[in-house]
Amino acid sequence: MFSDRLIKRMKKARSVAVLTGAGVSQESGVATFRGEDGLWKKFKPEELASVEAFVKNPVLVWEWYGYRQKIILKTDPNPGHMALADMEGIFPDFALITQNVDGLHRKAGSQKILELHGNILVSRCMSCGTKSDRIEPEEDGMVPRCACGGRMRPDVVWFGEMLPQDILSQAFEAAERSDVFFSIGTSAVVHPAASLPVAAKEAGAYVVEINPERTVLSGALDETIIGKSGEVLPRLVSRLRESGKEA
Ligand code: OAD
């Protein structure tokens, strides 16, 4: 399953960066966005995931986020998340960059996480910017309010919004200094996240994709490992340990 080239590169690597997408949480029971059972097949992003949608119908938007929060609160990290938490202890410089808003990497024990698209379990006041990790809304049909009176919104990046610029810069820096870069469980169509594997490759990293299917990026990367992250990643960590790679 793993090429000699990859194992050699990983044994020598000091710096490893990983980009994850919704596919990493698929085996935990969290729906992906695209593909047959994807969320964007059933729901319209423009009605649920934009500032315009929120201004037009905040109750509907909160119902959708409240529904997803409830699902996510019941889910647990899978062996793929666990293996990535283990990898953080193996390499002196390790960056975990995620597009996921489900917080499952943190639950699995990863510590250095760059959340590009925010966190669905956090809300933010649209007036004063105060953040809260209280689960909102407490009842359906409610739009939660901040102590200042402003409306609370989910602390996630919506369509048409900029990503948090400090986190994005840190992600590009990590990609560009990495010896090995992984793109895992992402369709690699949403930018700027999808530019990270390319930036890593241009800066000289060995870039590997892990996905049950090839993606638009596969042809531009060093290798694609076809498989589920919850199966491939634990095997990769075992293989590294067998090869004597320890922190
Ligand atoms: P997508 O739903 O676009 O892609 C999920 C990818 O995971 C696909 O390529 C699947 O083949 C793959 N996949 C499915 N099961 C897998 C498994 N068990 N192991 C590994 N891979 C698996 O999700 P993202 O690429 O994360 O943005 O989507 C990017 C962004 O689009 C999201 O962050 C979200 C969405 O609109 C915002 O909310 C801002």
Side-chain angles (χ1 to χ4, degrees):
M1 173 176 269
F2 305 115
S3 69
D4 290 345
R5 252 180 108 195
L6 172 61
I7 298 302
K8 224 185 226 170
R9 289 284 198 131
M10 290 202 82
K11 274 187 79 174
K12 275 205 309 199
R14 203 195 153 271
S15 176
V16 170
V18 177
L19 170 69
T20 64
V24 166
S25 297
Q26 184 267 338
E27 290 155 272
S28 292
V30 182
T32 59
F33 292 94
R34 296 170 187 83
E36 296 231 327
D37 296 324
L39 287 172
W40 295 150
K41 273 266 161 70
K42 297 180 207 139
F43 302 100
K44 289 194 179 137
E46 63 275 19
E47 285 175 8
L48 297 166
S50 70
V51 173
E52 292 74 21
F54 189 70
V55 169
K56 197 166 144 206
N57 197 341
V59 170
L60 175 75
V61 171
W62 262 119
E63 270 171 13
W64 193 61
Y65 279 91
Y67 159 78
R68 286 175 60 210
Q69 283 180 342
K70 281 183 197 123
I71 293 175
I72 283 164
L73 280 170
K74 281 192 220 140
T75 59
D76 290 312
N78 65 57
H81 295 106
M82 300 297 195
L84 288 170
D86 288 343
M87 275 167 77
E88 187 172 320
I90 295 180
F91 297 94
D93 178 24
F94 185 82
L96 180 55
I97 308 158
T98 189
Q99 299 168 86
N100 298 347
V101 296
D102 56 30
L104 287 177
H105 285 303
R106 189 162 293 112
K107 226 173 168 181
S110 286
Q111 287 179 14
K112 286 180 256 157
I113 310 165
L114 296 170
E115 287 177 324
L116 292 177
H117 293 164
N119 188 322
I120 199 171
L121 301 175
V122 177
S123 44
R124 183 176 85 235
C125 175
M126 290 181 88
S127 301
C128 72
T130 297
K131 291 192 183 187
S132 159
D133 56 8
R134 208 172 55 226
I135 298 309
E136 315 262 23
E138 283 162 12
E139 284 170 41
D140 285 346
M142 265 180 64
V143 177
R145 295 263 174 195
C146 175
C148 82
R151 273 185 178 158
M152 298 299 280
R153 57 162 280 179
D155 191 27
V156 297
V157 175
W158 279 332
F159 286 95
E161 291 188 311
M162 300 262 284
L163 272 63
Q165 292 303 295
D166 53 333
I167 295 177
L168 186 61
S169 316
Q170 289 178 55
F172 272 96
E173 281 161 23
E176 285 165 1
R177 69 169 185 270
S178 65
D179 303 307
V180 181
F181 184 96
F182 286 94
S183 177
I184 310 176
T186 175
S187 57
V189 292
V190 175
H191 289 268
S195 306
L196 288 161
V198 179
K201 175 101 183 103
E202 282 172 3
Y206 191 73
V207 184
V208 183
E209 180 174 61
I210 301 175
N211 199 306
E213 293 169 13
R214 287 177 68 81
T215 71
V216 285
L217 271 192
S218 304
L221 309 181
D222 290 295
E223 56 180 280
T224 295
I225 299 173
I226 297 288
K228 293 184 170 192
S229 49
E231 293 168 8
V232 176
L233 285 168
R235 289 172 70 172
L236 180 60
V237 169
S238 302
R239 180 83 166 74
L240 285 175
R241 291 201 166 126
E242 278 162 24
S243 76
K245 181 84 185 168
E246 289 292 345

